[in-house]
Amino acid sequence: MTNDELEIEFQDAVDRVNAYTGRFPADVLLNLYAYYKKATNNYSQPRGKKAIINAFKTNALFQVKDVSQNEAKRLYIDLVNKYFLYGK
């Protein structure tokens, strides 16, 4: 898969998540958050209203610190595909 194809597939997965009106389980949300931040090279600190949620987000980011940008995109895509196939 080329980088362009990966980017298109990643953006499609992001669009699916953004269009979904249901609720994701917390563990899925944290993984999506971490993979997305890593895939987009967005290393800004979590800015939620609750300190505990920011701590969980920071931990999720820490867990993907050694994942490459392309690998994070692939993991995000795989998680979205798996969730929409089995999770709902």
Side-chain angles (χ1 to χ4, degrees):
M1 175 178 290
T2 68
N3 281 341
D4 288 343
E5 291 169 332
L6 180 61
E7 186 60 37
I8 290 167
E9 197 172 336
F10 174 68
Q11 193 55 55
D12 287 344
V14 170
D15 292 344
R16 287 176 72 192
V17 168
N18 289 336
Y20 183 58
T21 57
R23 293 181 57 117
F24 288 100
D27 61 324
V28 172
L29 275 177
L30 284 170
N31 283 317
L32 288 172
Y33 171 83
Y35 296 148
Y36 180 84
K37 295 282 264 185
K38 188 71 175 192
T40 60
N41 281 327
N42 180 345
Y43 298 109
S44 63
Q45 292 296 315
R47 291 175 283 158
K49 295 178 183 176
K50 295 185 179 184
I52 188 73
I53 292 174
N54 289 339
F56 281 116
K57 287 179 175 180
T58 299
N59 184 53
L61 288 171
F62 180 75
Q63 291 180 29
V64 298
K65 68 179 175 63
D66 294 327
V67 173
S68 72
Q69 185 177 11
N70 282 346
E71 186 179 0
K73 288 177 183 178
R74 173 54 46 206
L75 289 166
Y76 186 97
I77 293 163
D78 290 347
L79 180 58
V80 169
N81 289 340
K82 180 181 172 186
Y83 180 80
F84 283 109
L85 184 61
Y86 300 113
K88 296 193 299 183

